Amino acid sequence: MQSFPPPDLVSYVGLILVTDELQAPADFLIHRFLHLRLKDSKQSQCLFISVSEDMERIKAVASKSNLNLSQNGRFKFIDLNAHLEEQPDNSLQDSRLRRVFDVVTSELYNAQGGEGNFLVILDDIASLEWLGFSVLDLSRLCRALKAFCLKERATLVIRHHIISPSEPGILFQHLLQLCSYHVEVRPLSSGRSGAVSGELCLHTGPVESEPSQQLIARPTALQYRLTDGGAIFFNKGTSEGVL
Amino acid sequence: MSSFKRKVPSKQVALPPGTRASSSSPSTILTSSGIPSLDDILGGGLPLSCSLVVLAPDNHSAYGELVQKYFVAQGIACGQTVCILHDDAVTFAAECMWMPNSSSNTRTPTPPADEEDEAARNEENIKIAWRYEQMKKFQTTVVPNNLSTDDFCNTFDLTSRIPLSVIDDARNDKRLLLLNLNEGCDVASSMMGVIRRIQHVLAATSSTEVVRLCIPSLGSLEWVGQSPKDILHFLHSLRRLLRQYPHACACVSLPPHLCTDSWGGMGWVQKVGWVTDAAISLEGFGADPSLVALFPSHHGLLQIHKLPTPHTILSASDKYSTLRGLSSSAGASVGSGENNLAFKCMRKRLIFETMHLDLEGGVTERRTAPSANAISLDAGIAHAHGVLRVVDEGPSRSLATVEVELEQTTTEIRGSLSESPGMSQSAAKNATTPSKLKKPKKKVAFHSDKPDLYDF
């Protein structure tokens, strides 16, 4: 049995890009980042900026890991859609995203108190692109968020959906250039199986010249199987169905 | 006296009519879609606060609308509030199916008889080898549990229409809300206007009654604002609305021309899957006669893009669905793949079942005879084995070789790019002329007239 993500990755200061596909969604990994960070150190605080995930689901999955998020003061949930809807539709997109950035930074400033190290999770930047925001604005938002998180020594995790694996989109290319680590969650090429739900790889981004993490290349991808509350990780060929 | 206190189960909250709790997570409330096999695929039913999108890319049939009608009929039968958004919602509601007349009041213990069951009864008289007698009959689909007395899923009969009295009663009780699309929406923001109307409807209902939203053809010509971005925005907003009002669920169906990548751009179906909770695709065989020939007992394939997981990581369907066949206790006999699923619309019902290749078909069949060079192409029936090659005798200016593969048969069409229209004509010509150039089959026979080698 393996364990992912390694603790150093969860508290890494920088941008971690998590990509997935519809057949192998990475929400289990996002929740896992959240749980590990909240459990590991008592000073960590987590800010979950959500476009498509909802609070009920996060709470329900966290309760399976014995985390009570409704009473946990170190967890903050921001519903991005509510903030976007507050502004009139015909305002400039740039200003709407700017407002979003301001909200995030103000949250971090308010809650910091000088001590806590933060984990900021932006769930699903691909949905923002599909809802009509331009790639330029979104990549600017990501760059601004990353710069801010680096300054505040926070970990930033951004989730992106890959629609066409063979032709990477422009936003994905921008994100790839910004990130230090890239966790890639892919389905099995042979289709779904009861034993293995998918596989994941860890690549280094161009920013990180000396990766401190053990990288996982595609041929030696770590496979996982989903359970009710998370996932079990194992190397290829060592799942229960094979052994 | 021990200090342990027995954990008293909290008082069971009475569930609204027509719903039940999910077996994998008790906080999820499921409601039936009206089709038992579809409920099984979804993991017991459609969870409340989830949206289901049914894509039906086949231009020649209306399977998406059929699923919607089941959804509406089930809602009306259970006494739930149903809200239909259509340009002519009254007609749509009147076209829904209903329970067969004889058993509308009483529950019949036998499953509905149709042509398949009668044939099966005739076959029961054949002698089965003794070691297989105890085994159950091979089931390809889920048999609806008619013996249960709860009203989770009613049996509907496609041959009977919903009585107008039922519709009128439901409308008078405000349980059936028919929203026409062209009422009071400003043209500029029609999609968002519809979202606001849905929000008014949901806010007006109490949280103890289940509300079913049915949108039979989202983005068809009556809707204003049909760009892919608008559709995605609508589905995204609908999902958010359902989270705010978790006693509601929605079933949306996209018209055929909206279900393909050619309309929505690359990866369109995946995008739809990402912005909704559950997405399935009923790919009918209407346009492709070769698929009809390959799978004669089905009318289309079912593709599952996303399954609803409102409170868990793993969908209930992965653990409990018998049709999908992924169910496994932890580590016991894991490793099996998922079943292929198909659907067929019979005279009285629509069912989803597992798809298995015929006895003669399949790529794993061992070939003993060398493949023939050219086999006559019958119009409807393609032979299951052998390689099919249509050789073009025309000018040899061929630049490109196009290989078309149809599962078991391979057609090699050679022709230059500029010549492709002419190519198809000659291919058609070859198809109609039955050129039987079959090589003689190898025959292994027992000759009784010649003396056997070991005949002493």
Side-chain angles (χ1 to χ4, degrees):
Chain A
M1 290 292 175
Q2 301 281 319
S3 143
F4 190 88
D8 293 340
L9 190 64
V10 181
S11 46
Y12 175 79
V13 174
L15 171 59
I16 303 172
L17 176 67
V18 176
T19 59
D20 57 356
E21 298 182 23
L22 186 59
Q23 291 169 334
D27 43 2
F28 72 96
L29 199 58
I30 299 288
H31 289 156
R32 211 172 149 80
F33 264 95
L34 183 67
H35 303 164
L36 284 178
R37 189 63 179 256
L38 281 178
K39 278 187 187 172
D40 272 349
S41 96
K42 292 293 175 228
Q43 288 112 12
S44 308
Q45 308 204 34
C46 292
L47 188 64
F48 198 109
I49 311 167
S50 160
V51 178
S52 36
E53 192 74 64
D54 68 309
M55 183 64 182
E56 288 303 317
R57 183 154 187 252
I58 299 175
K59 279 202 285 197
V61 175
S63 65
K64 296 217 161 58
S65 298
N66 299 325
L67 271 177
N68 192 343
L69 287 183
S70 39
Q71 293 172 358
N72 197 330
R74 298 185 283 133
F75 174 77
K76 188 90 173 67
F77 179 81
I78 294 184
D79 186 3
L80 206 59
N81 298 298
H83 287 282
L84 290 173
E85 275 171 12
E86 274 172 17
Q87 304 157 47
D89 270 341
N90 49 5
S91 65
L92 283 175
Q93 287 184 352
D94 188 20
S95 64
R96 288 161 83 186
L97 286 179
R98 172 86 211 177
R99 174 106 205 290
V100 163
F101 177 68
D102 292 338
V103 164
V104 172
T105 50
S106 65
E107 278 296 335
L108 275 179
Y109 278 139
N110 289 346
Q112 181 118 20
E115 268 195 16
N117 38 358
F118 262 90
L119 168 67
V120 180
I121 299 178
L122 174 59
D123 194 345
D124 206 357
I125 199 162
S127 294
L128 286 177
E129 184 191 358
W130 302 335
L131 292 177
F133 289 96
S134 72
V135 173
L136 183 61
D137 289 333
L138 288 174
S139 46
R140 281 177 181 161
L141 173 69
C142 292
R143 244 194 0 239
L145 275 176
K146 180 197 168 183
F148 182 74
C149 289
L150 275 178
K151 204 170 63 151
E152 303 292 327
R153 317 276 314 151
T155 309
L156 177 63
V157 176
I158 296 186
R159 181 179 175 195
H160 181 68
H161 301 310
I162 304 274
I163 293 298
S164 50
S166 52
E167 291 185 31
I170 302 177
L171 182 60
F172 176 51
Q173 290 175 14
H174 285 197
L175 286 170
L176 210 52
Q177 287 167 5
L178 283 178
C179 75
S180 317
Y181 286 103
H182 172 210
V183 181
E184 189 185 13
V185 180
R186 298 189 304 157
L188 289 181
S189 52
S190 50
R192 288 189 210 199
S193 150
V196 182
S197 311
E199 55 185 23
L200 57 84
C201 318
L202 177 63
H203 309 289
T204 180
V207 174
E208 186 69 40
S209 52
E210 289 167 32
S212 56
Q213 302 296 325
Q214 184 87 17
L215 298 179
I216 307 174
R218 276 189 182 182
T220 55
L222 193 65
Q223 294 185 334
Y224 67 89
R225 185 163 72 91
L226 292 178
T227 60
D228 257 343
I232 309 176
F233 300 93
F234 41 85
N235 287 322
K236 268 195 207 180
T238 58
S239 71
E240 298 101 21
V242 174
L243 286 181
Chain B
M1 189 69 182
S2 76
S3 58
F4 295 109
K5 271 197 216 156
R6 175 173 295 184
K7 199 171 182 182
V8 177
S10 52
K11 209 169 71 122
Q12 295 278 337
V13 180
L15 291 172
T19 60
R20 66 173 178 213
S22 164
S23 21
S24 73
S25 90
S27 49
T28 312
I29 304 177
L30 305 173
T31 184
S32 170
S33 59
I35 309 170
S37 37
L38 184 59
D39 286 342
D40 177 82
I41 292 169
L42 291 173
L46 181 64
L48 293 184
S49 81
C50 286
S51 56
L52 167 68
V53 168
V54 179
L55 294 121
D58 185 15
N59 282 321
H60 307 279
S61 41
Y63 294 118
E65 294 211 350
L66 188 60
V67 172
Q68 296 291 329
K69 286 176 186 164
Y70 268 105
F71 188 70
V72 167
Q74 178 65 43
I76 297 179
C78 290
Q80 297 169 348
T81 310
V82 180
C83 176
I84 306 178
L85 278 103
H86 197 56
D87 60 328
D88 192 2
V90 181
T91 318
F92 184 80
E95 284 172 357
C96 291
M97 64 291 292
W98 199 240
M99 297 172 274
N101 291 333
S102 60
S103 66
S104 58
N105 292 327
T106 61
R107 300 254 168 251
T108 50
T110 58
D114 53 347
E115 52 269 19
E116 287 216 339
D117 288 352
E118 289 181 10
R121 270 184 232 123
N122 290 336
E123 282 176 15
E124 274 168 15
N125 301 327
I126 65 171
K127 213 157 156 41
I128 302 179
W130 64 272
R131 68 182 72 186
Y132 301 124
E133 248 171 4
Q134 302 301 319
M135 283 174 66
K136 282 192 313 185
K137 212 166 163 270
F138 181 60
Q139 285 203 332
T140 53
T141 186
V142 171
V143 176
N145 188 8
N146 282 340
L147 295 174
S148 63
T149 50
D150 70 331
D151 53 354
F152 183 71
C153 183
N154 297 55
T155 313
F156 292 106
D157 189 354
L158 285 176
T159 54
S160 56
R161 284 281 175 88
I162 189 168
L164 285 176
S165 57
V166 172
I167 296 187
D168 290 334
D169 286 341
R171 286 179 85 175
N172 292 337
D173 284 345
K174 296 274 184 264
R175 278 184 296 116
L176 178 60
L177 307 164
L178 304 172
L179 302 181
N180 283 323
L181 285 178
N182 39 13
E183 281 176 11
C185 285
D186 52 339
V187 174
S189 58
S190 172
M191 288 253 172
M192 285 304 107
V194 173
I195 288 283
R196 277 190 274 274
R197 284 172 77 189
I198 297 175
Q199 188 169 12
H200 287 319
V201 165
L202 288 177
T205 59
S206 74
S207 60
T208 50
E209 52 178 299
V210 175
V211 180
R212 290 188 184 216
L213 289 167
C214 172
I215 306 179
S217 62
L218 173 71
S220 61
L221 297 171
E222 298 84 23
W223 293 69
V224 175
Q226 303 166 45
S227 68
K229 179 178 91 74
D230 292 326
I231 302 276
L232 290 176
H233 198 172
F234 181 87
L235 291 172
H236 183 81
S237 310
L238 179 66
R239 184 172 63 175
R240 286 200 64 225
L241 211 54
L242 289 176
R243 296 283 190 269
Q244 284 173 13
Y245 299 99
H247 57 278
C249 60
C251 189
V252 178
S253 167
L254 293 178
H257 66 279
L258 255 65
C259 299
T260 54
D261 277 1
S262 55
W263 181 82
M266 196 170 47
W268 166 245
V269 177
Q270 306 230 4
K271 289 183 189 173
V272 170
W274 279 117
V275 295
T276 54
D277 295 305
I280 61 173
S281 207
L282 271 70
E283 295 163 2
F285 292 152
D288 200 347
S290 57
L291 285 177
V292 173
L294 282 174
F295 307 113
S297 54
H298 295 112
H299 294 143
L301 298 175
L302 174 74
Q303 257 209 356
I304 304 172
H305 302 294
K306 191 168 178 187
L307 289 165
T309 55
H311 297 113
T312 53
I313 297 281
L314 189 66
S315 71
S317 164
D318 283 355
K319 286 197 297 191
Y320 296 110
S321 168
T322 45
L323 278 179
R324 288 180 66 214
L326 277 179
S327 53
S328 56
S329 50
S333 62
V334 237
S336 59
E338 202 175 320
N339 286 334
N340 294 317
L341 296 171
F343 64 91
K344 62 182 172 187
C345 183
M346 303 198 288
R347 193 169 63 91
K348 291 203 174 185
R349 57 194 176 136
L350 171 73
I351 61 171
F352 296 90
E353 42 180 36
T354 53
M355 182 183 69
H356 303 270
L357 295 172
D358 281 341
L359 292 171
E360 288 185 18
V363 293
T364 55
E365 191 200 324
R366 201 167 55 110
R367 283 201 282 262
T368 50
S371 53
N373 277 333
I375 300 179
S376 64
L377 244 186
D378 278 334
I381 318 264
H383 270 284
H385 36 265
V387 173
L388 198 79
R389 280 175 63 188
V390 174
V391 179
D392 184 25
E393 304 292 353
S396 54
R397 284 187 290 126
S398 51
L399 290 175
T401 302
V402 172
E403 191 168 341
V404 174
E405 208 166 308
L406 291 173
E407 294 223 0
Q408 297 110 346
T409 60
T410 310
T411 308
E412 201 176 82
I413 303 173
R414 263 190 254 132
S416 66
L417 293 169
S418 59
E419 229 189 9
S420 40
M423 186 56 240
S424 57
Q425 287 169 14
S426 54
K429 252 195 313 186
N430 276 347
T432 48
T433 58
S435 56
K436 295 193 194 281
L437 294 177
K438 275 196 275 200
K439 281 196 182 160
K441 274 196 189 161
K442 257 200 286 190
K443 285 202 183 98
V444 175
F446 180 69
H447 302 278
S448 57
D449 49 344
K450 295 186 193 152
D452 202 29
L453 193 60
Y454 300 102
D455 228 2
F456 297 108

